[in-house]
């Protein structure tokens, strides 16, 4: 009888031991599952962090584009400024063509073109034509500064100067509008008598009152020219008026 009880007691202990072992196994499985879930959460958090940093990079790119846009706007502003500057120029408004403007603004040699040619119907008279090629009216002296000499001479102190009309007065200058000409006529030998034959060049300075001698232009008169007591008239608007003015020279 003692031996039977010992076996039953041993079997009970074995049963209890088995139950405890199963319980421990079950608890260990729960811990493992919890840890696995933790790893999944950490992975998700890492992904979220990566996604969150991406919009920050995009924002930086957008700001860079905005900065580029600002530079383009600055360039557009410079272009507009340049257009405004050109609009205010005298070429856009057609220039100032009043006589009062010409009286205060002497002509510049760079705005003039000068021609010398024989007057039709005369063997001794030459036409001096000064054209205003500028955009504004300008003022000339009453007559051009003229001398007659030899082109190859080393000393021009002996050049011949024509007589001009006297009793000058009135307006401060002879006004010349844009794209028009001031005309003067010179008669190299009004009497038609024998004159000097060494003269072959006419030197013309459009405005002797305001221009430097370096602006003087030289014109070939050709061979066989006779010069004696030459006369020069004032600037006029036509050849006919210039001839009449020339006839008053020396008076």
């Amino acid at each position: 009888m003692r031996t039977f009880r010992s076996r039953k007691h041993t079997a009970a202990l074995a049963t209890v031991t088995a139950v405890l072992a199963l319980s421990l196994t079950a608890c260990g499985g729960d811990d493992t599952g919890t840890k696995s879930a933790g790893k999944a959460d950490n992975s998700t958090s890492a992904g979220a962090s990566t996604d969150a940093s991406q919009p920050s990079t995009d924002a930086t790119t957008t700001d860079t584009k905005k900065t580029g846009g600002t530079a383009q706007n600055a360039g557009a502003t410079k272009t507009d400024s340049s257009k405004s500057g050109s609009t205010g120029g005298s070429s856009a408004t057609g220039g100032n063509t009043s006589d009062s403007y010409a009286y205060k603004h002497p002509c510049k040699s760079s705005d003039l073109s000068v021609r010398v040619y024989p007057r039709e119907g005369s063997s001794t008279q030459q036409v001096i034509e000064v054209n205003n090629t500028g955009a504004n009216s300008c003022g000339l002296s009453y007559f051009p500064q003229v001398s007659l000499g030899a082109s190859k001479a080393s000393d021009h102190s002996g050049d011949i100067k024509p007589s001009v009309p006297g009793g000058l007065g009135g307006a401060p200058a002879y006004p010349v509008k844009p794209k028009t000409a001031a005309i003067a006529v010179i008669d190299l030998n009004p009497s038609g008598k024998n004159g000097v034959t060494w003269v072959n060049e006419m030197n013309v300075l459009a405005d002797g009152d305001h221009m430097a001698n370096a602006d003087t232009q030289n014109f070939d008169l050709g061979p066989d020219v006779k010069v004696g007591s030459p006369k020069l008239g004032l600037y006029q608007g036509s050849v006919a008026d210039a001839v009449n003015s020339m006839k008053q020279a020396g008076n």
Side-chain angles (χ1 to χ4, degrees):
M1 291 298 290
R2 290 180 180 176
T3 302
F4 176 76
R5 288 180 179 177
S6 297
R7 290 179 179 177
K8 290 181 70 176
H9 181 72
T10 301
L13 288 176
T15 302
V16 171
T17 301
V19 172
L20 290 173
L22 289 173
S23 297
L24 290 173
T25 302
C27 289
D30 291 341
D31 290 342
T32 303
T34 302
K35 289 180 181 179
S36 176
K39 290 182 180 180
D41 291 341
N42 290 339
S43 176
T44 304
S45 298
S49 298
T50 302
D51 293 340
S53 63
Q54 187 61 39
S56 176
T57 303
D58 293 342
T60 302
T61 303
T62 304
D63 291 341
T64 302
K65 293 180 179 178
K66 289 182 179 178
T67 303
T70 302
Q72 292 177 355
N73 289 338
T77 302
K78 290 182 180 179
T79 302
D80 293 341
S81 175
S82 176
K83 290 181 179 179
S84 299
S86 63
T87 303
S90 60
S91 60
T93 59
N96 194 314
T97 60
S98 67
D99 288 353
S100 60
Y101 183 88
Y103 295 150
K104 297 178 182 179
H105 296 81
C107 294
K108 299 178 181 178
S109 59
S110 58
D111 289 334
L112 301 175
S113 74
V114 181
R115 295 177 57 208
V116 171
Y117 53 90
R119 180 196 166 210
E120 186 177 357
S122 173
S123 60
T124 60
Q125 296 178 9
Q126 296 280 328
V127 177
I128 302 171
E129 182 181 297
V130 179
N131 291 276
N132 180 3
T133 61
N136 303 306
S137 291
C138 61
L140 291 170
S141 53
Y142 287 157
F143 53 89
Q145 180 176 294
V146 176
S147 65
L148 305 164
S151 58
K152 296 183 179 180
S154 58
D155 181 9
H156 289 274
S157 60
D159 286 2
I160 300 172
K161 295 182 179 180
S163 59
V164 296
L168 303 179
Y174 180 82
V176 190
K177 297 184 183 300
K179 307 299 183 286
T180 60
I183 297 173
V185 169
I186 183 173
D187 195 329
L188 302 177
N189 191 4
S191 66
K193 297 180 181 180
N194 291 332
V196 299
T197 57
W198 52 269
V199 174
N200 63 0
E201 183 180 67
M202 183 188 303
N203 309 304
V204 179
L205 182 61
D207 187 337
D209 292 341
H210 300 98
M211 294 181 181
N213 288 332
D215 293 324
T216 300
Q217 299 185 42
N218 312 110
F219 298 90
D220 183 28
L221 293 175
D224 303 325
V225 174
K226 295 180 179 180
V227 177
S229 302
K231 293 184 176 184
L232 172 67
L234 307 180
Y235 280 126
Q236 302 292 331
S238 67
V239 173
D241 289 342
V243 169
N244 291 332
S245 177
M246 176 270 296
K247 292 179 179 181
Q248 303 302 315
N251 297 339

